[in-house]
Amino acid sequence: MSDTADHVIVVGAGIIGMACAHYLSAAGFNVTLIDKGDPGQACSQSNCGYICPSHVLPLNSMGSLKKGMRSLLNPAAPFRLKLQWRAGLYRWLYEFARRCGEREMIAAGNQLQPLLASSRAAYQQLMSTDDFDCGWRESGLLYVFQSVEGFDDYAQEDQLLADHYGVSADRIPGDELPTLDPALRANLAGAFLYRDDAMLNPDQLVRQWPARLAERGVRLVSNCSLNHVRRERAHIVGIETTQGTMTADHYVFALGAWSTQMAENIGCPIPIEPGKGYSVTMTQPEQCPSYPMLFLEHGIGMTPLDDGYRLGSMMEFVGYDSSIPAHRIAQLGEAAAHYLNTPTGQESRATWFGWRPMTWDSLPIIGRVPGADNALLATGHNMLGLTLAPATGQLITEMIQEQPTHIDATAFAPSRF
């Protein structure tokens, strides 16, 4: 790489930061990627690994709002809100609630769908050209329902997806499910199979991608925390880190759920709340499913890995609580037992949690920092960081190059806050 190429520092080496570094380096930029820990060890490390263009509709809905309110009385609810003494949380909840109407929900989906489609296509290319060995499967994603009521309710959402976005699923009656996947119980109501969805093993991807970046000349700096952003009027002149002052021509802040804590220093509002999720990875059960699955009635997902098996998801608004309660991990297996003949493997290998960076409008934050001519944000991807990473990296690269973006990114701009 030429020493005369513009230098870009990407702060945050999660899946979003790695994708930004990937496309920036491919475009000829000199890239430094820093992280307060090791690359890939944050929210995307041990999630369920779905690449899901079917996830068009935002979290904002009256159903989500009602679940959050009911969870105040039920600490075991998969969607849980804990009362906290933080004004920022209540501002976030207020703004979230304001956007829970059907019109707002459909409008947000219209903005999100092109980003989802772009990222799905980008993953297809990455997996065919960059030699990632990360369990890539294009088997689709199966939404499974235990109750007839849940199945019928979701049918309305599936129809909405088809009518407004052209995203349709195969509708599978309950009595056909054991034939489709023998790991499923025989007494289920039915399922919807979104065939364009895919999956991968995120642990393997985030282990391999840093090595690929290093091969392309990206400088990786671990254990390097951002302390301060130095600005002179509309220009960032450097960042102070635990490894000294660093300077570049451009700066990309991909800080995930920690973005809010640096908002004042970066110089713009970043209204993100950490949405905590869990997973447990174990040996494969006696009957291991073939398809990745979502069990929406119980708020969990299941992923069959090449060398194991994972149960995960849930959504907790509990602040930056880093504990992994044993009852939450047990709850994953208990919920899966409603759907699977053998819901757990004999040996647990790892338990994990991650903080998803949740925005109040369910859209990511991708674009230039208002009032700063050489700084951009790439954060706030909600539950879709893994899915949206490649398209985000492409957009950030196009913006730094001052080229027209390959999709309209106006709705993702930080200036909307």
Side-chain angles (χ1 to χ4, degrees), residues 336-386:
H338 293 283
Y339 304 87
L340 300 171
N341 292 320
T342 50
T344 57
Q346 290 188 345
E347 179 186 345
S348 175
R349 292 177 175 169
T351 58
W352 172 89
F353 82 93
W355 290 309
R356 308 175 183 99
M358 307 298 293
T359 59
W360 60 46
D361 59 6
S362 294
L363 296 177
I365 305 170
I366 307 168
R368 292 195 175 275
V369 173
D373 59 13
N374 64 336
L376 299 94
L377 291 176
T379 186
H381 290 76
N382 297 275
M383 301 175 71
L384 295 172
L386 183 66

Side-chain angles (χ1 to χ4, degrees), residues 39-369:
Q41 300 302 300
C43 188
S44 293
Q45 178 191 3
S46 293
N47 64 28
C48 286
Y50 304 146
I51 310 301
C52 43
S54 65
H55 279 39
V56 180
L57 293 178
L59 185 64
N60 302 71
S61 70
M62 290 308 298
S64 295
L65 194 61
K66 290 176 182 177
K67 287 178 183 177
M69 294 302 101
R70 288 196 298 266
S71 76
L72 293 173
L73 303 175
N74 179 15
F79 187 100
R80 182 186 171 213
L81 171 63
K82 179 182 178 182
L83 293 177
Q84 303 159 55
W85 299 109
R86 291 191 298 113
L89 171 64
Y90 299 103
R91 167 74 190 285
W92 191 98
L93 291 171
Y94 168 74
E95 296 290 349
F96 179 90
R98 286 181 55 218
R99 293 164 173 82
C100 282
E102 183 172 341
R103 183 179 64 181
E104 292 82 1
M105 178 180 70
I106 291 172
N110 286 333
Q111 302 296 338
L112 192 57
Q113 188 184 23
L115 193 62
L116 286 163
S118 171
S119 233
R120 177 65 175 84
Y123 265 116
Q124 189 80 44
Q125 184 173 15
L126 280 171
M127 295 302 147
S128 63
T129 61
D130 282 78
D131 195 31
F132 286 111
D133 180 17
C134 58
W136 174 256
R137 298 189 200 177
E138 297 180 276
S139 55
L141 180 59
L142 195 65
Y143 291 51
V144 186
F145 294 88
Q146 181 187 22
S147 72
V148 173
E149 180 183 8
F151 183 67
D152 291 344
D153 284 348
Y154 187 78
Q156 299 177 38
E157 185 168 316
D158 177 66
Q159 189 63 52
L160 188 151
L161 289 172
D163 292 345
H164 288 275
Y165 311 108
V167 175
S168 59
D170 295 344
R171 184 168 176 160
I172 304 166
D175 58 2
E176 297 180 15
L177 286 178
T179 301
L180 178 72
D181 196 322
L184 287 165
R185 294 181 60 172
N187 60 347
L188 299 170
F192 295 83
L193 176 59
Y194 290 90
R195 293 190 179 275
D196 195 39
D197 286 10
M199 62 153 283
L200 52 77
N201 186 326
D203 314 52
Q204 294 175 346
L205 178 63
V206 300
R207 281 199 302 268
Q208 294 171 28
W209 212 341
R212 301 288 193 281
L213 294 174
E215 290 168 2
R216 300 173 67 156
V218 174
R219 180 185 174 217
L220 302 172
V221 185
S222 299
N223 303 312
C224 181
S225 296
L226 174 64
N227 291 334
H228 183 69
V229 177
R230 292 168 49 198
R231 289 181 60 156
E232 292 183 1
R233 295 187 175 87
H235 197 74
I236 292 180
V237 297
I239 57 174
E240 303 291 343
T241 77
T242 52
Q243 295 193 29
T245 301
M246 298 184 179
T247 61
D249 300 291
H250 311 275
Y251 301 83
V252 178
F253 298 97
L255 296 168
W258 296 100
S259 299
T260 300
Q261 299 189 5
M262 291 301 298
E264 183 176 355
N265 196 228
I266 291 171
C268 72
I270 311 176
I272 284 174
E273 280 293 320
K276 190 178 182 184
Y278 301 94
S279 77
V280 56
T281 305
M282 61 194 82
T283 54
Q284 291 188 350
E286 183 178 350
Q287 277 189 294
C288 187
S290 301
Y291 289 89
M293 301 178 188
L294 279 174
F295 308 134
L296 294 184
E297 291 171 284
H298 288 83
I300 71 162
M302 181 282 304
T303 306
L305 305 171
D306 290 340
D307 59 348
Y309 172 81
R310 178 167 294 156
L311 297 173
S313 203
M314 301 194 193
M315 175 68 76
E316 292 184 340
F317 288 93
V318 293
Y320 293 93
D321 174 6
S322 61
S323 66
I324 303 180
H327 73 274
R328 279 309 224 178
I329 299 301
Q331 190 175 341
L332 294 170
E334 292 163 2
H338 293 283
Y339 304 87
L340 300 171
N341 292 320
T342 50
T344 57
Q346 290 188 345
E347 179 186 345
S348 175
R349 292 177 175 169
T351 58
W352 172 89
F353 82 93
W355 290 309
R356 308 175 183 99
M358 307 298 293
T359 59
W360 60 46
D361 59 6
S362 294
L363 296 177
I365 305 170
I366 307 168
R368 292 195 175 275
V369 173

